Amino acid sequence: RFKSSNKIYRTNDFKNKELLHKSSNKQDIYSNLSVLNDKYLITTCKNYENVFIVCTNLCDKNTQKIHIIDTLINKNTDVKLYSIKYIFTQNTQYSNDFYVKIKSFLFPSKTLYINLDKKLMHVLEDSPKNSNMLLHSYYKKNYESIIKNKIDSQNYKSKLLFIPNTPKVAVYLMYKKGLKLDGKNKCFLKGYGAYGSDITSNYLSKNGGLMYYKSLLDEDFVVAIAYIRGGKFGGFKFHKEGRNQYRKNVYNDFIKVAK
């Protein structure tokens, strides 16, 4: 789940292993490994510059990359913090297709439809009008609150900044479009670094979602989320450096982010 070796292996006994995929980028972090119909291995890959899905055919080891950034979901959103979830339906076993739920702090969740056999991908229109026929019940959740409190996310921006002289410690900033970031802005800062977990990107979340913090942003606050050691943001080593006798790194990282 955490180890960032930029390689994916297959094994039946944890002694002998077969290389399925090797990335040329050592910064790649793989997560969300799933096997589709014993034919495809699907995993999410993040490398701080892009987010994409790696699909490996287990029969011929042929690998294809599906770039999430190419969907151009929201130009104001930093793609490094997309939250990715796979959804498989009853039709998946017959057609080798699936859905990808994409979440962000700055926009409501979007859904991609992917058919691996036909090499087809497109963004589904996720309106309540279509919710009865697309993805069955998946679209119905949360739409009432989103429609009732409709927000134009184009009025806000976000960015991810890495803290100098730290091992991949970073801070996610969300702010009103046009606001000058001069180091003197009012700021609401929070963070989490434990159990190999991070604050997950979610538009409706109390942990940083636009729906919840819009009132602060409109008052020229900057909402900041610290990605510190102990979490999974920087891979397995990043997580391990925030555990046990290294726990003080978590607090030191948070202080550096605040400064």
Side-chain angles (χ1 to χ4, degrees):
R1 180 181 175 188
F2 306 110
K3 193 169 184 180
S4 178
S5 64
N6 73 313
K7 299 176 184 177
I8 299 176
Y9 293 95
R10 174 169 58 184
T11 180
N12 294 320
D13 53 14
F14 294 97
K15 294 180 180 179
N16 302 304
K17 58 185 180 181
E18 177 187 5
L19 180 65
L20 294 177
H21 173 68
K22 179 180 179 180
S23 172
S24 58
N25 190 341
K26 293 184 178 180
Q27 298 299 321
D28 283 351
I29 295 177
Y30 294 102
S31 61
N32 296 347
L33 270 75
S34 300
V35 177
L36 178 63
N37 296 335
D38 294 326
K39 182 177 181 180
Y40 293 102
L41 175 68
I42 305 169
T43 180
T44 305
C45 182
K46 298 182 180 182
N47 59 19
Y48 307 110
E49 294 180 358
N50 206 338
V51 179
F52 51 90
I53 298 171
V54 177
C55 299
T56 303
N57 189 315
L58 296 175
C59 300
D60 58 17
K61 298 183 185 179
N62 184 39
T63 298
Q64 56 181 309
K65 292 184 178 180
I66 302 171
H67 289 259
I68 300 299
I69 191 175
D70 293 341
T71 60
L72 298 177
I73 291 176
N74 190 313
K75 295 181 180 179
N76 293 334
T77 302
D78 199 313
V79 298
K80 304 177 188 70
L81 290 180
Y82 281 171
S83 175
I84 308 295
K85 178 183 178 181
Y86 305 133
I87 298 174
F88 302 102
T89 68
Q90 293 180 340
N91 293 328
T92 297
Q93 59 181 313
Y94 304 108
S95 54
N96 286 318
D97 62 353
F98 61 101
Y99 299 89
V100 182
K101 202 77 169 177
I102 304 172
K103 293 183 179 181
S104 164
F105 290 119
L106 202 56
F107 61 81
S109 61
K110 300 288 184 180
T111 304
L112 293 176
Y113 170 77
I114 298 177
N115 189 306
L116 296 176
D117 289 339
K118 296 181 180 179
K119 296 184 178 180
L120 173 68
M121 178 185 74
H122 60 83
V123 181
L124 296 181
E125 183 183 350
D126 51 358
S127 66
K129 183 178 179 181
N130 294 328
S131 63
N132 291 326
M133 56 184 176
L134 292 176
L135 278 183
H136 310 292
S137 62
Y138 293 113
Y139 270 119
K140 296 179 181 179
K141 188 177 182 182
N142 296 329
Y143 273 105
E144 289 185 5
S145 59
I146 291 176
I147 294 169
K148 185 178 179 180
N149 305 284
K150 191 172 183 180
I151 300 172
D152 187 358
S153 60
Q154 297 294 333
N155 294 330
Y156 306 90
K157 296 191 70 175
S158 68
K159 65 168 61 176
L160 184 70
L161 300 177
F162 287 90
I163 308 303
N165 302 317
T166 65
K168 300 178 183 176
V169 174
V171 59
Y172 171 82
L173 303 178
M174 188 165 60
Y175 52 95
K176 188 168 64 176
K177 197 172 182 180
L179 181 67
K180 183 180 178 180
L181 302 181
D182 56 8
K184 300 178 181 180
N185 307 95
K186 296 174 288 186
C187 180
F188 178 82
L189 172 65
K190 66 187 311 179
Y192 185 80
Y195 301 103
S197 180
D198 291 324
I199 296 177
T200 305
S201 305
N202 191 338
Y203 175 79
L204 297 172
S205 172
K206 295 180 180 180
N207 287 326
L210 176 59
M211 179 74 81
Y212 193 80
Y213 288 107
K214 178 182 182 298
S215 57
L216 282 179
L217 298 176
D218 288 343
E219 294 296 326
D220 292 339
F221 271 79
V222 175
V223 174
I225 299 173
Y227 286 89
I228 51 185
R229 279 177 283 186
K232 67 177 180 179
F233 181 80
F236 182 69
K237 183 180 178 182
F238 187 85
H239 159 63
K240 199 162 64 170
E241 288 177 350
R243 296 179 58 195
N244 302 326
Q245 67 267 35
Y246 305 111
R247 189 63 186 162
K248 65 179 182 180
N249 290 332
V250 178
Y251 308 108
N252 291 335
D253 290 348
F254 192 79
I255 292 171
K256 288 181 180 179
V257 170
K259 289 180 177 180

